[in-house]
């Protein structure tokens, strides 16, 4: 009997993540997965247990990747608010075909599975909450560093930032023209830029 070809788990999960991100959980068929992962159905089930199991692993990969990339960008910025403003503006210059030039996989998953697969939807909501908590942590740091007012609400600002990122990525997904996208990114960035606390000397705190 011919043995199934060996598979690379990371490569398989990357292919599954890309496919699920594009088509969603329900619209992705087993034949789609066979083609993308280059694996037979029996091998897919042996490796991941079920389509749901594969999807949840792919969703975790997406979350881990997104959070690591976001944190790396924030850590490389001169200050917390510089990082947030630059992150929002970066979407306007994102090249066509870039993975992030489409709606967030976590958001798409909640919409796709909210009424049909509660476990998947709840997992995705949990990741979105975790990302928002990380953003709230950034605003707390901005307060500690004197970049924004001490009475600013980190949780409220984090919710606003996450909503802005979701909205601008949806515009990218829709193919909004670059001029309109750039204006939207500037409006969003300037809203956060105005939060910076200005000292009596006229300089922005933390600069």
């Amino acid at each position: 009997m011919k043995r199934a070809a060996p598979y690379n788990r990371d490569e398989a999960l990357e292919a599954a993540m890309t496919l699920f991100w594009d088509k969603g959980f329900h619209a992705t068929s087993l034949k789609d997965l066979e083609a993308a992962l280059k694996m037979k159905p029996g091998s897919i089930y042996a490796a991941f247990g079920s389509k749901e199991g594969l999807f949840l692993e792919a969703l975790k990969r997406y979350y881990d990747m997104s959070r690591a990339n976001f944190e790396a960008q924030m850590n490389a910025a001169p200050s917390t608010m510089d990082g947030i403003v630059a992150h929002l503006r970066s979407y306007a210059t994102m090249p066509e075909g870039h993975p992030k030039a489409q709606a967030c996989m976590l958001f798409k998953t909640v919409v796709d599975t909210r009424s049909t697969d509660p476990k998947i939807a709840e997992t995705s909501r949990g990741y979105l909450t975790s990302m928002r908590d990380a953003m709230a942590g950034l605003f707390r740091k901005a307060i500690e560093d004197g970049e924004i007012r001490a009475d600013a609400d980190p949780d409220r600002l984090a919710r606003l930032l996450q909503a802005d990122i979701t909205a601008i990525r949806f515009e990218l997904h829709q193919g909004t023209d670059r001029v309109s996208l750039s204006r939207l990114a500037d409006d969003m960035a300037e809203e956060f830029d105005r939060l910076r606390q200005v000292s009596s000397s006229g300089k922005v705190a933390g600069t």
Side-chain angles (χ1 to χ4, degrees):
M1 183 176 177
K2 187 177 179 181
R3 283 186 174 185
Y7 80 104
N8 181 298
R9 194 173 186 85
D10 278 343
E11 290 178 1
L13 282 172
E14 182 69 22
M17 182 191 77
T18 301
L19 179 62
F20 281 130
W21 188 1
D22 180 47
K23 299 192 70 171
F25 177 69
H26 291 298
T28 301
S29 68
L30 186 55
K31 285 195 175 296
D32 292 331
L33 290 168
E34 283 184 66
L37 277 62
K38 298 179 175 59
M39 294 171 67
K40 296 295 184 184
S43 297
I44 293 174
Y45 285 115
F48 301 102
S50 64
K51 178 184 173 182
E52 181 185 276
L54 173 57
F55 185 86
L56 288 171
E57 286 201 46
L59 194 66
K60 184 179 186 303
R61 185 182 185 88
Y62 174 87
Y63 165 74
D64 289 342
M65 176 192 72
S66 298
R67 179 153 183 171
N69 289 342
F70 180 73
E71 289 180 350
Q73 186 176 2
M74 294 302 107
N75 290 335
S79 73
T80 299
M81 296 307 294
D82 283 335
I84 289 169
V85 167
H87 183 77
L88 285 167
R89 288 202 164 105
S90 71
Y91 289 101
T93 57
M94 198 165 285
E96 289 185 22
H98 191 285
K100 288 186 179 179
Q102 60 175 311
C104 168
M105 184 180 178
L106 300 176
F107 175 75
K108 288 176 72 175
T109 297
V110 172
V111 173
D112 186 36
T113 63
R114 183 176 61 87
S115 61
T116 57
D117 298 271
K119 180 181 177 180
I120 292 176
E122 186 58 35
T123 299
S124 192
R125 277 194 293 266
Y127 288 145
L128 285 167
T129 299
S130 182
M131 282 296 297
R132 191 166 62 246
D133 288 345
M135 291 172 184
L138 289 174
F139 288 112
R140 290 189 186 93
K141 184 177 186 305
I143 291 171
E144 291 170 5
D145 292 344
E147 277 197 277
I148 61 177
R149 292 167 51 122
D151 61 353
D153 185 337
D155 294 316
R156 185 175 180 179
L157 291 174
R159 193 174 292 277
L160 176 61
L161 177 59
Q162 188 173 55
D164 279 353
I165 292 171
T166 299
I168 199 166
R169 289 187 64 178
F170 181 73
E171 294 292 334
L172 277 164
H173 187 86
Q174 292 285 84
T176 298
D177 68 271
R178 289 288 164 170
V179 173
S180 297
L181 198 67
S182 181
R183 287 172 178 165
L184 177 60
D186 281 343
D187 287 344
M188 290 174 170
E190 285 170 11
E191 185 174 14
F192 284 97
D193 214 17
R194 284 194 294 270
L195 293 171
R196 295 176 191 257
Q197 183 171 309
V198 180
S199 70
S200 57
S201 64
K203 290 184 177 181
V204 175
T207 64

